[in-house]
Amino acid sequence: MSTSSSPVYLIGVDVGTGSARAALVTGKGEVLQTCVKPIQTWNTQPNYYEQSSDDIWSAVCECVKNVTSGYAKEQIKGIGFDATCSLVVLDGQMQPLTVCPSSKDNQRNVILWMDHRAEEEARFINATHHQMLNYVGGSISLEMEVPKLLWLKRNMHDAVWTKVGAFYDLPDYLTFRATGADCRSICSAVCKWNYDAEDRCWSEDFLQTIGLVDDLRVDSWGLIGTHVANPGAAIDGGLSRQAAQELGLNPGTAVASSMIDAHAGALALLGCEGPPGRAGDGGSLTSKMAIICGTSSCHMSLTKRPVLAPGIWGPYKHAIIPDLYLNEAGQSATGVLIDYMLQTHPCYDQLLKEHGGSNGKIYAFLNTFLDELAKKQGESSVHRLTIDLHVWPDFHGNRSPLADPNLKGMISGLTMTKDVQNLALIYLALMQALAYGTRHILQVLEASGREPITSILLCGGLSKNSLFVQTHADICSVPVLLPSEPEAVLLGSAMMGAYAAGLYDSLELAASGMGGSAVVVKPDLRDSTRDYHERKYRVFQRMYLDQRGYERIMKG
């Protein structure tokens, strides 16, 4: 890292599903200021979710001005952007163009990542069995961009398709607004647009197969990206005069090529110091798994060689670190499922009244309750309390590694008891099931040729739950690291800004230099505990096979 006498700062910008955020960060990764502003979403019909790129940019500008207030502009050296993988549509004058079939409001020009209008198009693409689909676990998600493009061509041809000047992934739109330069990040391109990262080009054969190549390859692929850069690469010219005025910064401030939000979080987590390996070592980066765990969970790990694993997205070359391959897995419902199980139990209202009116306080109470219950019953481990209670957690389908959105949740061992102990045991069994799901992902990756993961790093809401953390360590038999800086996603974007500004010689060095330290939660590796989890994991796998068996019986 370069040094100077006066302090230098970076800005990280994160646009999530419901809000825009910004952080002011030091060159060593200390988050000094944060600001959050809500953004508007339209949901006027089922499965349609739309936003406004102008509204998003306005919220970003407000946040950046807020966190930089009182700091000298010349000390702010770089800015990085991350966002959800939503589709932004602009007309020939680079102005918003509506994506709403029931409204001519051009402000509604963003199809949100969670929009499911392109279900038929995703089925059509998957039926081609094109080899490019091998890089998304064998089947494309309707939440990715190419199905949405095909939907727009089929359903809004005259109103939108013939008038389009550019399609952007939202993170790339933010760098476009910041610089005026048409630079796309390979992070978005390879993860959400089926870009061929090995040959660094758009796959004409794939787009020809699905009927989009003639529309998109005009003007050297200008509609979807002529220039595709690595994440964190400095964009020529830096901040434009107009954007600098809107953000309250100096023109020419370094702007980094962007990342998807979860990937920025993974960058910060993977750079966090902890065993094994030394900070900044490539082997260290590739021995870790980062889990961004909130409403749902995203499991990310890097490898030096490509690993094709069924039901797991990737390998995505260059998506986070140049020349390393990303595998991306996930669980469709984690935090939201724990909340659901809690809120639908008969004693929920009683607990809400007794423990401060928030789910977080109820979880803290349940964690203590379970520890005391284990001691009372003479159990050596809290996990043994669920010896006859088992959960299959796919209440909202399975993202990885089974890639089946139609799978259902299962519970074995229910009784008519409706007291706090009953809820606590179901809660514990669900925590175990989510960790067995992570173990299942690890197992499939290793069976596909990946070297074993030797540590897990967690961020997000569930990382604050001590039972969730310890259960993952115990069931996966590896230490779990909890970074000292909880704002991993914003920190990841600031790391990109630091690299773009030349404070570090590589994005990997920026990650290790700014990643900070972590608390290490060690696994319980006693033979008795490991044997117990082995048997419960066999039950976990059997529950899936049983569900498939029930399907076969009912189909006749």
Side-chain angles (χ1 to χ4, degrees):
M1 177 180 174
S2 61
T3 57
S4 62
S5 55
S6 60
V8 296
Y9 304 107
L10 298 314
I11 297 169
V13 173
D14 164 50
V15 176
T17 303
S19 63
R21 302 188 302 155
L24 185 72
V25 183
T26 69
K28 293 184 178 180
E30 182 185 359
V31 176
L32 301 177
Q33 305 280 346
T34 62
C35 179
V36 58
K37 294 293 177 185
I39 53 180
Q40 184 175 1
T41 300
W42 289 271
N43 175 217
T44 51
Q45 55 183 308
N47 294 325
Y48 284 61
Y49 295 89
E50 294 147 0
Q51 293 183 335
S52 162
S53 60
D54 283 347
D55 175 57
I56 291 167
W57 181 250
S58 176
V60 166
C61 293
E62 197 172 340
C63 289
V64 171
K65 285 179 177 177
N66 183 292
V67 298
T68 56
S69 177
Y71 291 85
K73 293 180 183 180
E74 58 269 18
Q75 291 181 317
I76 298 167
K77 301 299 184 182
I79 184 168
F81 294 91
D82 74 72
T84 66
C85 46
S86 301
L87 178 67
V88 181
V89 182
L90 304 178
D91 65 16
Q93 287 71 49
M94 296 294 108
Q95 296 302 308
L97 183 61
T98 186
V99 295
C100 177
S102 61
S103 170
K104 294 182 179 179
D105 181 6
N106 284 324
Q107 283 302 303
R108 295 164 66 168
N109 72 314
V110 179
I111 302 180
L112 192 59
W113 67 270
M114 63 190 286
D115 183 290
H116 280 194
R117 71 181 69 182
E119 186 173 357
E120 183 180 330
E121 286 70 25
R123 274 199 301 268
F124 166 76
I125 294 168
N126 287 327
T128 68
H129 302 291
H130 194 278
Q131 63 180 7
M132 287 303 294
L133 299 178
N134 293 335
Y135 293 87
V136 289
S139 63
I140 200 167
S141 167
L142 76 170
E143 293 177 357
M144 294 178 176
E145 307 300 12
V146 173
K148 292 172 182 170
L149 294 179
L150 192 56
W151 184 93
L152 287 169
K153 180 179 179 179
R154 288 179 171 182
N155 294 275
M156 300 186 73
H157 187 273
D158 294 340
V160 175
W161 194 254
T162 59
K163 300 177 181 177
V164 168
F167 296 108
Y168 279 99
D169 212 66
L170 181 54
D172 292 334
Y173 171 77
L174 296 176
T175 60
F176 168 69
R177 282 296 293 257
T179 64
D182 185 20
C183 176
R184 315 300 178 101
S185 169
I186 199 169
C187 177
S188 297
V190 68
C191 294
K192 303 300 175 184
W193 295 70
N194 301 95
Y195 182 79
D196 185 344
E198 289 288 353
D199 294 326
R200 292 202 79 120
C201 65
W202 295 102
S203 173
E204 292 199 31
D205 186 67
F206 172 66
L207 294 171
Q208 177 74 49
T209 301
I210 64 173
L212 287 177
V213 71
D214 291 337
D215 304 273
L216 299 179
R217 70 179 167 192
V218 294
D219 297 328
S220 302
W221 306 97
L223 291 178
I224 57 175
T226 301
H227 178 58
V228 179
N230 288 339
I235 297 175
D236 288 348
L239 211 58
S240 70
R241 288 195 173 276
Q242 180 178 340
Q245 186 175 4
E246 293 168 340
L247 293 163
L249 300 173
N250 281 338
T253 301
V255 177
S257 180
S258 67
M259 269 194 196
I260 301 166
D261 50 359
H263 299 60
L267 173 68
L269 287 179
L270 294 169
C272 185
E273 185 179 327
R278 62 183 178 83
D281 179 68
S284 175
L285 280 180
T286 57
S287 68
K288 304 172 182 177
M289 172 170 277
I291 308 180
I292 298 88
C293 45
T295 300
S296 60
S297 290
C298 188
H299 300 59
M300 298 197 185
S301 65
L302 299 173
T303 58
K304 293 178 180 178
R305 289 178 293 276
V307 174
L308 283 158
I312 294 173
W313 295 342
Y316 297 137
K317 193 175 185 180
H318 315 300
I320 294 181
I321 298 289
D323 297 319
L324 294 183
Y325 293 85
L326 168 69
N327 284 110
E328 180 182 347
Q331 292 167 302
S332 301
T334 47
V336 70
L337 179 56
I338 299 170
D339 287 345
Y340 169 81
M341 297 288 269
L342 185 79
Q343 292 163 6
T344 55
H345 195 276
C347 72
Y348 172 69
D349 289 339
Q350 171 196 339
L351 287 177
L352 206 58
K353 291 175 184 176
E354 294 176 356
H355 299 285
S358 77
N359 287 353
K361 291 181 179 178
I362 294 176
Y363 295 142
F365 164 74
L366 290 174
N367 293 351
T368 303
F369 180 92
L370 287 164
D371 284 336
E372 293 172 352
L373 182 62
K375 291 175 185 174
K376 184 178 176 181
Q377 295 189 6
E379 297 290 1
S380 60
S381 167
V382 70
H383 293 303
R384 291 185 171 273
L385 295 171
T386 60
I387 194 166
D388 57 0
L389 184 60
H390 311 283
V391 174
W392 178 263
D394 290 331
F395 286 55
H396 195 57
N398 184 286
R399 186 184 301 167
S400 305
L402 300 171
D404 185 349
N406 298 312
L407 278 175
K408 305 294 189 290
M410 303 168 71
I411 304 177
S412 172
L414 289 175
T415 68
M416 291 178 65
T417 310
K418 54 184 180 182
D419 58 11
V420 172
Q421 180 171 319
N422 177 262
L423 173 57
L425 293 176
I426 293 173
Y427 164 77
L428 173 59
L430 177 58
M431 289 288 191
Q432 292 168 338
L434 294 172
Y436 293 132
T438 294
R439 178 174 168 178
H440 192 192
I441 290 167
L442 293 174
Q443 183 181 35
V444 169
L445 283 168
E446 288 187 27
S448 302
R450 198 209 191 286
E451 295 177 2
I453 296 289
T454 56
S455 62
I456 291 173
L457 296 105
L458 295 181
C459 75
L462 284 174
S463 68
K464 300 177 178 67
N465 188 311
S466 60
L467 179 63
F468 180 87
V469 174
Q470 188 66 58
T471 300
H472 264 73
D474 294 349
I475 285 172
C476 298
S477 299
V478 295
V480 171
L481 279 62
L482 300 175
S484 54
E485 176 48 65
E487 293 287 4
V489 178
L490 285 166
L491 180 57
S493 279
M495 289 171 174
M496 292 188 287
Y499 171 47
L503 301 185
Y504 293 89
D505 291 336
S506 71
L507 188 56
E508 189 173 335
L509 288 172
S512 60
M514 298 173 68
S517 59
V519 173
V520 180
V521 178
K522 295 181 179 179
D524 179 355
L525 297 177
R526 290 176 295 174
D527 289 343
S528 59
T529 302
R530 295 186 73 172
D531 175 69
Y532 178 80
H533 284 307
E534 284 296 327
R535 286 182 280 124
K536 281 213 62 146
Y537 185 57
R538 284 168 57 196
V539 173
F540 178 82
Q541 293 172 306
R542 178 69 176 266
M543 291 180 82
Y544 165 68
L545 296 175
D546 287 345
Q547 186 172 154
R548 290 300 194 209
Y550 303 156
E551 290 174 3
R552 287 193 296 272
I553 291 169
M554 296 310 297
K555 286 177 181 176

